[in-house]
């Protein structure tokens, strides 16, 4: 049996269970219509497909019971609409919260910060990552080595070379401003 999908969205797979034919039929017959309705309601095809997919996953988990309903697609549609409405409510709450926040002016970075950012940007990526993780994040050399998938000696070398380059770069910039 070929399952038709909307924009290539396949039916859900849950816990490796085989898809019952009646579920596949319900999915094929209903996914496009439900997702299309919700796309208009939500204003986004992608969100509508996500919500519809979630509703079908919930139906899949309960399919033994839902399959006995007169119209299983009606259950899926109701769940999908409820999920969409919840999504809109959460978005409204988040928007109200965001609007209620006061934008406090923040001073721009000082010359020292600009010089430091410029000096860090001039470092090779490995050295820059090591400096940030060691000095800003406070990670030990062993953890940086594990994250970077290198030996601890490589991290120590990066830090050593980075300190030399930063000192030279920051000293050179400091001489220009004197």
């Amino acid at each position: 049996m070929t399952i038709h999908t909307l924009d290539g969205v396949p039916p859900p797979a849950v816990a490796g269970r085989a898809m019952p034919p009646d579920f596949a039929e319900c999915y094929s017959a209903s996914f496009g219509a439900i997702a299309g309705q919700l796309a208009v309601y939500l204003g986004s095809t992608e969100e509508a497909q996500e919500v519809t997919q979630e509703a079908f996953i919930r139906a899949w988990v309960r399919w033994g019971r839902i399959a006995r309903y007169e119209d299983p697609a009606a259950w899926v549609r109701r769940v999908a609409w409820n999920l969409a409405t919840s999504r809109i409510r959460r978005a409204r709450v988040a928007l109200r919260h965001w609007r209620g926040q006061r934008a406090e002016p923040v001073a721009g970075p000082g010359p020292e910060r600009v010089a430091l950012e410029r000096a860090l940007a001039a470092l090779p990526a490995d050295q820059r990552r090591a400096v940030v993780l060691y000095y800003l994040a406070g990670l030990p050399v062993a953890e940086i080595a594990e994250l970077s998938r290198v030996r601890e000696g490589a991290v120590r070398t990066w830090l050593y070379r980075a300190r030399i380059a930063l000192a030279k770069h920051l000293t050179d910039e400091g001489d220009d401003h004197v």
Side-chain angles (χ1 to χ4, degrees):
M1 170 200 260
T2 302
I3 297 179
H4 302 286
T5 62
L6 177 67
D7 292 336
V9 178
V14 177
R17 291 179 15 203
M19 185 185 329
D22 52 345
F23 180 85
E25 290 170 17
C26 179
Y27 185 92
S28 294
S30 308
F31 183 89
I34 295 170
Q37 296 163 7
L38 292 174
V40 175
Y41 180 59
L42 292 169
S44 167
T45 301
E46 292 80 16
E47 282 190 74
Q49 289 176 346
E50 286 177 24
V51 167
T52 306
Q53 195 80 316
E54 176 64 27
F56 270 104
I57 288 171
R58 290 181 184 194
W60 173 276
V61 172
R62 299 164 181 82
W63 193 249
R65 178 175 45 92
I66 294 170
R68 293 189 300 263
Y69 291 175
E70 184 176 325
D71 185 6
W75 185 93
V76 173
R77 183 178 306 104
R78 171 59 25 216
V79 170
W81 275 90
N82 288 345
L83 290 169
T85 301
S86 293
R87 194 175 271 217
I88 288 173
R89 284 184 188 137
R90 282 191 307 272
R92 283 184 184 152
V93 168
L95 183 60
R96 272 196 306 271
H97 176 73
W98 179 77
R99 285 183 178 159
Q101 301 299 309
R102 289 187 191 177
E104 295 184 26
V106 177
E112 298 84 14
R113 168 88 182 253
V114 172
L116 180 59
E117 287 179 359
R118 193 174 296 137
L120 284 170
L123 293 175
D126 292 332
Q127 291 178 20
R128 184 171 51 250
R129 180 176 56 245
V131 166
V132 169
L133 292 174
Y134 187 77
Y135 290 105
L136 298 179
L139 297 182
V141 169
E143 195 169 337
I144 297 169
E146 186 179 325
L147 285 169
S148 302
R149 296 184 176 160
V150 297
R151 296 177 187 254
E152 290 180 33
V155 174
R156 287 190 194 95
T157 300
W158 293 340
L159 289 169
Y160 174 77
R161 290 179 180 165
R163 283 190 293 266
I164 291 172
L166 288 171
K168 181 180 182 323
H169 189 78
L170 293 173
T171 302
D172 290 346
E173 283 199 9
D175 292 342
D176 293 343
H177 296 292
V178 174

